[in-house]
Amino acid sequence: MTDNRAADKRAAVKIHVSDLRKSFGRLEVLKGISTDIYESEVVVVIGPSGSGKSTFLRCLNRLEEPSGGQILIHGVDLSDRKTDINKVRESVGMVFQHFNLFNNLSVMANLTLAPVDLGRASKEEARQNALQMLERVGLADKADAFPAQLSGGQKQRAAIARALCMQPDIMLFDEPTSALDPEMVGEVLAVMKQLAALGMTMVIVTHEIGFAREVADRVLFMDGGVIVEEGTPQELLQNPREARTADFLSSVL
Protein backbone atom coordinates (compact mmCIF):
# COMPACT_ATOMS: atom_id res chain seq x y z
CA MET A 1 0.00 0.00 0.00
CA THR A 2 1.33 3.44 -0.89
CA ASP A 3 2.01 6.05 1.77
CA ASN A 4 -0.71 8.27 0.29
CA ARG A 5 -3.27 5.49 0.51
CA ALA A 6 -2.26 4.67 4.07
CA ALA A 7 -2.48 8.34 5.03
CA ASP A 8 -6.06 8.65 3.83
CA LYS A 9 -7.49 5.26 4.75
CA ARG A 10 -10.89 6.46 5.89
CA ALA A 11 -11.66 8.34 2.68
CA ALA A 12 -10.20 5.61 0.49
CA VAL A 13 -12.10 2.60 1.85
CA LYS A 14 -14.21 1.10 -0.94
CA ILE A 15 -15.29 -2.09 0.84
CA HIS A 16 -15.55 -2.45 4.61
CA VAL A 17 -16.11 -5.95 5.98
CA SER A 18 -16.66 -6.53 9.69
CA ASP A 19 -17.19 -9.92 11.37
CA LEU A 20 -18.72 -11.42 8.21
CA ARG A 21 -20.30 -14.81 8.83
CA LYS A 22 -22.03 -17.23 6.50
CA SER A 23 -23.59 -20.59 7.26
CA PHE A 24 -25.31 -23.10 5.01
CA GLY A 25 -27.55 -24.93 7.44
CA ARG A 26 -25.25 -26.19 10.19
CA LEU A 27 -22.13 -25.71 8.09
CA GLU A 28 -20.36 -22.50 9.07
CA VAL A 29 -18.34 -21.45 6.02
CA LEU A 30 -17.26 -17.94 7.06
CA LYS A 31 -16.39 -17.51 10.73
CA GLY A 32 -15.85 -13.80 11.20
CA ILE A 33 -14.07 -12.09 8.30
CA SER A 34 -12.95 -8.48 8.82
CA THR A 35 -10.96 -6.42 6.32
CA ASP A 36 -10.98 -3.11 4.46
CA ILE A 37 -10.31 -2.79 0.73
CA TYR A 38 -9.07 0.56 -0.48
CA GLU A 39 -9.54 2.54 -3.66
CA SER A 40 -7.34 1.26 -6.52
CA GLU A 41 -6.13 -1.64 -4.37
CA VAL A 42 -5.71 -5.11 -5.87
CA VAL A 43 -6.45 -7.73 -3.22
CA VAL A 44 -5.81 -11.37 -4.08
CA VAL A 45 -7.45 -14.07 -1.95
CA ILE A 46 -5.73 -17.46 -1.85
CA GLY A 47 -6.24 -20.63 0.13
CA PRO A 48 -7.16 -24.31 -0.19
CA SER A 49 -10.44 -25.48 -1.70
CA GLY A 50 -13.27 -25.21 0.79
CA SER A 51 -11.66 -22.38 2.76
CA GLY A 52 -14.53 -19.97 2.05
CA LYS A 53 -12.84 -17.78 -0.58
CA SER A 54 -15.63 -17.82 -3.18
CA THR A 55 -18.34 -17.51 -0.53
CA PHE A 56 -16.56 -14.43 0.83
CA LEU A 57 -16.42 -12.91 -2.64
CA ARG A 58 -20.07 -13.69 -3.40
CA CYS A 59 -21.13 -12.06 -0.14
CA LEU A 60 -19.52 -8.80 -1.28
CA ASN A 61 -22.32 -8.23 -3.79
CA ARG A 62 -24.88 -10.32 -1.90
CA LEU A 63 -25.03 -13.17 -4.37
CA GLU A 64 -24.81 -15.02 -1.07
CA GLU A 65 -26.79 -13.60 1.83
CA PRO A 66 -24.50 -13.11 4.86
CA SER A 67 -25.60 -14.80 8.08
CA GLY A 68 -24.05 -12.07 10.21
CA GLY A 69 -21.63 -9.16 10.26
CA GLN A 70 -21.51 -6.06 8.12
CA ILE A 71 -20.47 -5.17 4.57
CA LEU A 72 -20.28 -1.57 3.41
CA ILE A 73 -19.75 -0.77 -0.28
CA HIS A 74 -19.00 2.92 -0.83
CA GLY A 75 -20.33 3.39 2.69
CA VAL A 76 -23.68 1.74 1.88
CA ASP A 77 -24.70 -1.06 4.26
CA LEU A 78 -25.67 -4.12 2.22
CA SER A 79 -27.67 -5.56 5.12
CA ASP A 80 -29.89 -2.47 5.44
CA ARG A 81 -33.35 -3.33 4.12
CA LYS A 82 -33.54 0.13 2.52
CA THR A 83 -30.46 -0.59 0.40
CA ASP A 84 -31.19 -1.16 -3.30
CA ILE A 85 -28.76 -4.01 -3.92
CA ASN A 86 -29.24 -3.78 -7.68
CA LYS A 87 -28.09 -0.16 -7.56
CA VAL A 88 -25.01 -1.18 -5.58
CA ARG A 89 -24.26 -3.97 -8.06
CA GLU A 90 -24.17 -1.46 -10.92
CA SER A 91 -20.83 -0.22 -9.56
CA VAL A 92 -19.49 -3.68 -8.68
CA GLY A 93 -18.54 -5.85 -11.68
CA MET A 94 -18.40 -9.62 -11.25
CA VAL A 95 -16.49 -12.14 -13.35
CA PHE A 96 -17.25 -15.80 -12.75
CA GLN A 97 -15.26 -18.99 -13.13
CA HIS A 98 -17.50 -20.29 -15.93
CA PHE A 99 -18.05 -17.01 -17.81
CA ASN A 100 -21.88 -16.92 -17.43
CA LEU A 101 -22.36 -15.52 -20.93
CA PHE A 102 -25.77 -15.91 -22.60
CA ASN A 103 -25.08 -18.53 -25.27
CA ASN A 104 -28.07 -17.51 -27.41
CA LEU A 105 -26.82 -13.91 -27.70
CA SER A 106 -23.92 -12.51 -29.69
CA VAL A 107 -20.96 -11.04 -27.84
CA MET A 108 -22.26 -7.54 -28.61
CA ALA A 109 -25.74 -8.42 -27.30
CA ASN A 110 -24.20 -9.88 -24.13
CA LEU A 111 -22.32 -6.62 -23.54
CA THR A 112 -25.18 -4.20 -24.28
CA LEU A 113 -28.03 -6.05 -22.55
CA ALA A 114 -27.60 -4.72 -18.99
CA PRO A 115 -26.69 -1.07 -19.79
CA VAL A 116 -29.76 -0.75 -22.06
CA ASP A 117 -32.17 -2.68 -19.81
CA LEU A 118 -31.14 -0.70 -16.75
CA GLY A 119 -31.40 2.62 -18.56
CA ARG A 120 -27.72 3.39 -18.23
CA ALA A 121 -27.29 3.99 -21.97
CA SER A 122 -29.17 4.15 -25.26
CA LYS A 123 -28.67 1.24 -27.65
CA GLU A 124 -26.17 3.24 -29.70
CA GLU A 125 -24.30 4.50 -26.64
CA ALA A 126 -24.15 0.96 -25.27
CA ARG A 127 -22.87 -0.34 -28.60
CA GLN A 128 -20.11 2.27 -28.82
CA ASN A 129 -19.07 1.60 -25.24
CA ALA A 130 -19.10 -2.15 -25.86
CA LEU A 131 -16.85 -1.72 -28.89
CA GLN A 132 -14.38 0.22 -26.72
CA MET A 133 -14.43 -2.50 -24.06
CA LEU A 134 -13.92 -5.24 -26.66
CA GLU A 135 -10.98 -3.28 -28.03
CA ARG A 136 -9.56 -3.06 -24.51
CA VAL A 137 -9.68 -6.85 -24.03
CA GLY A 138 -8.46 -7.64 -27.55
CA LEU A 139 -11.76 -8.87 -28.99
CA ALA A 140 -12.72 -6.05 -31.33
CA ASP A 141 -13.20 -8.57 -34.15
CA LYS A 142 -15.57 -10.80 -32.13
CA ALA A 143 -18.52 -8.44 -31.60
CA ASP A 144 -20.84 -10.47 -33.82
CA ALA A 145 -19.61 -13.90 -32.74
CA PHE A 146 -21.55 -16.14 -30.39
CA PRO A 147 -20.01 -17.65 -27.23
CA ALA A 148 -19.89 -21.13 -28.81
CA GLN A 149 -17.50 -19.72 -31.44
CA LEU A 150 -15.03 -18.44 -28.84
CA SER A 151 -12.18 -20.17 -27.01
CA GLY A 152 -12.31 -20.34 -23.23
CA GLY A 153 -9.88 -17.45 -22.92
CA GLN A 154 -11.92 -15.36 -25.34
CA LYS A 155 -15.12 -16.14 -23.41
CA GLN A 156 -13.54 -14.95 -20.18
CA ARG A 157 -12.22 -11.79 -21.80
CA ALA A 158 -15.72 -11.16 -23.18
CA ALA A 159 -17.10 -11.66 -19.66
CA ILE A 160 -14.64 -9.08 -18.34
CA ALA A 161 -15.65 -6.67 -21.11
CA ARG A 162 -19.32 -7.23 -20.24
CA ALA A 163 -18.66 -6.32 -16.60
CA LEU A 164 -16.73 -3.21 -17.67
CA CYS A 165 -19.66 -2.04 -19.81
CA MET A 166 -21.49 -1.11 -16.61
CA GLN A 167 -18.56 1.20 -15.79
CA PRO A 168 -17.95 -0.29 -12.32
CA ASP A 169 -15.34 1.09 -9.97
CA ILE A 170 -14.92 -2.27 -8.20
CA MET A 171 -14.31 -5.61 -9.93
CA LEU A 172 -14.71 -9.02 -8.28
CA PHE A 173 -13.10 -12.06 -9.91
CA ASP A 174 -14.02 -15.58 -8.76
CA GLU A 175 -11.25 -17.92 -9.94
CA PRO A 176 -11.36 -16.40 -13.45
CA THR A 177 -8.72 -18.71 -14.93
CA SER A 178 -9.44 -22.03 -13.21
CA ALA A 179 -11.73 -23.29 -16.00
CA LEU A 180 -9.24 -22.42 -18.75
CA ASP A 181 -6.67 -24.51 -20.54
CA PRO A 182 -3.17 -23.48 -19.40
CA GLU A 183 -2.29 -21.76 -22.67
CA MET A 184 -5.32 -19.47 -22.32
CA VAL A 185 -4.60 -18.33 -18.77
CA GLY A 186 -2.04 -15.72 -19.81
CA GLU A 187 -4.39 -13.80 -22.09
CA VAL A 188 -6.94 -13.34 -19.29
CA LEU A 189 -4.33 -12.40 -16.70
CA ALA A 190 -2.94 -9.81 -19.13
CA VAL A 191 -6.32 -8.07 -19.25
CA MET A 192 -6.52 -8.12 -15.45
CA LYS A 193 -3.01 -6.66 -15.18
CA GLN A 194 -4.10 -3.89 -17.53
CA LEU A 195 -7.10 -3.11 -15.30
CA ALA A 196 -4.84 -3.03 -12.24
CA ALA A 197 -2.50 -0.61 -13.99
CA LEU A 198 -5.48 1.66 -14.73
CA GLY A 199 -6.34 1.84 -11.02
CA MET A 200 -9.36 -0.45 -10.84
CA THR A 201 -10.20 -1.64 -7.32
CA MET A 202 -10.13 -5.44 -7.58
CA VAL A 203 -10.75 -8.44 -5.34
CA ILE A 204 -9.53 -11.64 -6.97
CA VAL A 205 -9.95 -15.22 -5.79
CA THR A 206 -7.32 -17.21 -7.65
CA HIS A 207 -4.79 -20.05 -7.52
CA GLU A 208 -2.38 -18.06 -9.72
CA ILE A 209 0.35 -17.37 -7.17
CA GLY A 210 2.63 -15.82 -9.77
CA PHE A 211 -0.10 -13.33 -10.69
CA ALA A 212 -0.59 -12.50 -7.02
CA ARG A 213 3.13 -11.90 -6.61
CA GLU A 214 3.24 -9.59 -9.63
CA VAL A 215 0.02 -7.58 -9.37
CA ALA A 216 -1.44 -7.70 -5.84
CA ASP A 217 -1.07 -4.87 -3.36
CA ARG A 218 -2.19 -7.27 -0.65
CA VAL A 219 -2.73 -11.01 -0.36
CA LEU A 220 -5.23 -12.63 2.00
CA PHE A 221 -4.69 -16.27 2.93
CA MET A 222 -7.92 -17.95 3.98
CA ASP A 223 -8.37 -21.35 5.58
CA GLY A 224 -11.23 -22.80 7.59
CA GLY A 225 -13.46 -19.77 7.03
CA VAL A 226 -11.09 -17.19 8.49
CA ILE A 227 -8.31 -14.92 7.24
CA VAL A 228 -5.26 -16.69 8.65
CA GLU A 229 -2.93 -13.86 7.64
CA GLU A 230 -2.58 -11.03 5.17
CA GLY A 231 0.22 -8.88 3.88
CA THR A 232 2.02 -7.66 0.80
CA PRO A 233 2.98 -10.37 -1.71
CA GLN A 234 6.58 -10.17 -0.49
CA GLU A 235 5.54 -10.54 3.14
CA LEU A 236 2.98 -13.31 2.76
CA LEU A 237 4.31 -15.31 -0.18
CA GLN A 238 8.00 -15.16 0.69
CA ASN A 239 7.95 -14.85 4.48
CA PRO A 240 4.67 -16.22 5.85
CA ARG A 241 4.27 -15.90 9.61
CA GLU A 242 1.74 -18.70 10.08
CA ALA A 243 2.52 -22.40 9.71
CA ARG A 244 -0.79 -22.98 7.88
CA THR A 245 0.18 -20.39 5.28
CA ALA A 246 3.63 -21.88 4.84
CA ASP A 247 2.19 -25.40 4.45
CA PHE A 248 -0.24 -24.22 1.80
CA LEU A 249 2.40 -22.32 -0.16
CA SER A 250 4.78 -25.27 -0.06
CA SER A 251 2.07 -27.39 -1.71
CA VAL A 252 1.38 -24.95 -4.57
CA LEU A 253 4.75 -23.37 -5.30
Side-chain angles (χ1 to χ4, degrees), residues 15-18 20 59-60 66 69-73 76-79:
I15 304 173
H16 170 73
V17 182
S18 178
L20 174 63
C59 284
L60 295 183
Q70 185 181 51
I71 300 171
L72 304 181
I73 305 282
V76 176
D77 189 343
L78 297 199
S79 63

Side-chain angles (χ1 to χ4, degrees), residues 51-109:
S51 58
K53 306 183 301 296
S54 290
T55 300
F56 166 61
L57 197 76
R58 291 171 66 85
C59 284
L60 295 183
N61 63 358
R62 243 176 63 194
L63 285 176
E64 296 289 357
E65 199 71 40
S67 304
Q70 185 181 51
I71 300 171
L72 304 181
I73 305 282
H74 306 121
V76 176
D77 189 343
L78 297 199
S79 63
D80 188 331
R81 292 185 178 182
K82 298 175 186 175
T83 296
D84 182 348
I85 188 60
N86 290 321
K87 195 70 180 171
V88 173
R89 285 177 181 151
E90 288 182 17
S91 64
V92 182
M94 180 88 178
V95 177
F96 300 89
Q97 182 176 351
H98 294 291
F99 327 125
N100 288 24
L101 296 170
F102 295 108
N103 290 322
N104 61 325
L105 298 179
S106 69
V107 169
M108 176 58 69

Side-chain angles (χ1 to χ4, degrees), residues 9-250:
K9 280 186 176 182
R10 190 163 299 172
V13 173
K14 291 289 230 182
I15 304 173
H16 170 73
V17 182
S18 178
D19 197 31
L20 174 63
R21 298 173 181 275
K22 174 62 182 177
S23 296
F24 296 95
R26 293 184 178 181
L27 178 64
E28 190 179 22
V29 176
L30 299 180
K31 303 175 182 178
I33 301 288
S34 297
T35 191
D36 285 328
I37 293 159
Y38 303 98
E39 185 170 1
S40 298
E41 188 177 28
V42 178
V43 175
V44 171
V45 185
I46 63 172
S49 297
S51 58
K53 306 183 301 296
S54 290
T55 300
F56 166 61
L57 197 76
R58 291 171 66 85
C59 284
L60 295 183
N61 63 358
R62 243 176 63 194
L63 285 176
E64 296 289 357
E65 199 71 40
S67 304
Q70 185 181 51
I71 300 171
L72 304 181
I73 305 282
H74 306 121
V76 176
D77 189 343
L78 297 199
S79 63
D80 188 331
R81 292 185 178 182
K82 298 175 186 175
T83 296
D84 182 348
I85 188 60
N86 290 321
K87 195 70 180 171
V88 173
R89 285 177 181 151
E90 288 182 17
S91 64
V92 182
M94 180 88 178
V95 177
F96 300 89
Q97 182 176 351
H98 294 291
F99 327 125
N100 288 24
L101 296 170
F102 295 108
N103 290 322
N104 61 325
L105 298 179
S106 69
V107 169
M108 176 58 69
N110 266 282
L111 268 61
T112 57
L113 182 65
V116 172
D117 279 2
L118 294 172
R120 292 285 294 268
S122 68
K123 286 186 177 180
E124 183 55 31
E125 287 169 341
R127 179 176 173 79
Q128 290 304 317
N129 186 43
L131 287 171
Q132 290 179 11
M133 295 306 116
L134 288 173
E135 183 81 41
R136 180 182 289 186
V137 301
L139 292 176
D141 60 335
K142 299 295 184 182
D144 298 322
F146 283 78
Q149 298 170 301
L150 303 180
S151 69
Q154 289 171 332
K155 288 178 186 176
Q156 195 59 290
R157 284 187 282 149
I160 294 172
R162 178 180 60 179
L164 292 175
C165 280
M166 288 299 291
Q167 299 178 331
D169 58 0
I170 297 169
M171 287 282 285
L172 309 177
F173 293 86
D174 189 8
E175 300 196 20
T177 60
S178 63
L180 301 179
D181 292 332
E183 67 269 20
M184 296 176 183
V185 169
E187 63 192 63
V188 173
L189 295 182
V191 172
M192 294 167 66
K193 289 174 186 175
Q194 181 189 37
L195 289 176
L198 292 171
M200 178 69 75
T201 304
M202 300 161 70
V203 186
I204 305 160
V205 172
T206 185
H207 295 290
E208 300 289 339
I209 303 299
F211 174 80
R213 183 180 288 114
E214 187 176 345
V215 178
D217 295 299
R218 187 157 45 107
V219 180
L220 310 182
F221 172 67
M222 287 184 63
D223 193 17
V226 300
I227 297 174
V228 176
E229 70 173 295
E230 60 182 285
T232 66
Q234 185 171 8
E235 290 167 346
L236 190 138
L237 299 177
Q238 296 181 16
N239 301 291
R241 299 185 305 274
E242 302 292 333
R244 287 159 79 188
T245 313
D247 287 347
F248 171 76
L249 291 172
S250 68

